[in-house]
Amino acid sequence: LSDLCKLSKLQYSTNVDELGKLLIAKCQFFIGESIYDPSNILNTAVAVFDDIDFIRRVLHWGGDSLVNECGSGYSTISLCVDKPEDIKELLLQHGAHLDAVDKYGSSSFPSDSLQCLCAHTIITTGIPYDTLDLPRHIKLLISFHDPQYIRNKFEERIDSLIS
């Protein structure tokens, strides 16, 4: 579990021990190209079950830092299409981007926020944002909307699992 916590960027504690036990008890691990990503407990928790109390615990214990991660090729919010609305709202309260894209460049939910529209414009016009002198948080925001970035993260994740 300690290795899983390090991969998931969570602080290892007794809470995380309890979290790991709950996750193992509740989740059935998938193989192949799936939504299960051992580096993102939050994606797995959202994808596998609809227990908002458990998802709230994952967020509270450090999972909020993973809310826009996409090592599995899918953003956490994109896994909410068939989930109860309160789960999507909870993720949005913790900073999830409603229109973050998956590895195929698809977004599950449209957004008309100015920052997301700007990010889409930067991506669709081919502005090389990653080479510009922009603050890290701006580059990260744009990357949530960049299918190439998501595909690269997914491939990196697969490579790390194979190695």
Side-chain angles (χ1 to χ4, degrees):
L1 184 60
S2 176
D3 290 340
L4 180 62
C5 295
K6 289 176 191 170
L7 280 173
S8 296
K9 302 175 189 165
L10 297 173
Q11 288 292 91
Y12 186 74
S13 69
T14 50
N15 285 345
V16 176
D17 263 340
E18 183 182 336
L19 172 67
K21 288 174 189 169
L22 284 170
L23 188 62
I24 289 165
K26 289 184 173 266
C27 293
Q28 175 182 6
F29 293 161
F30 298 88
I31 58 170
E33 183 177 301
S34 67
I35 42 128
Y36 172 66
D37 178 5
S39 71
N40 192 328
I41 288 175
L42 181 61
N43 267 19
T44 303
V46 169
V48 176
F49 55 93
D50 298 337
D51 183 343
I52 191 159
D53 292 326
F54 181 69
I55 293 168
R56 189 175 283 116
R57 277 187 244 164
V58 172
L59 288 163
H60 176 75
W61 291 335
D64 57 340
S65 65
L66 303 168
V67 77
N68 287 303
E69 290 289 320
C70 55
S72 64
Y74 301 94
S75 65
T76 307
I77 200 77
S78 71
L79 301 172
C80 288
V81 172
D82 297 325
K83 300 292 177 181
E85 187 69 21
D86 56 346
I87 292 176
K88 182 175 86 172
E89 289 302 319
L90 178 64
L91 294 173
L92 292 172
Q93 290 168 9
H94 283 270
H97 278 268
L98 191 62
D99 63 339
V101 297
D102 63 20
K103 64 184 173 184
Y104 303 108
S106 299
S107 175
S108 300
F109 305 99
S111 173
D112 58 1
S113 78
L114 182 58
Q115 64 182 8
C116 293
L117 291 172
C118 290
H120 282 292
T121 301
I122 289 168
I123 298 305
T124 57
T125 58
I127 295 173
Y129 70 93
D130 53 337
T131 62
L132 298 176
D133 186 25
L134 297 171
R136 184 179 177 279
H137 70 281
I138 299 292
K139 286 184 180 184
L140 195 57
L141 166 75
I142 298 167
S143 71
F144 299 148
H145 302 84
D146 183 354
Q148 186 59 51
Y149 172 83
I150 304 301
R151 278 190 295 276
N152 290 345
K153 292 291 279 184
F154 176 68
E155 289 169 8
E156 286 173 15
R157 185 72 200 123
I158 295 299
D159 289 345
S160 72
L161 290 173
I162 294 170
S163 305

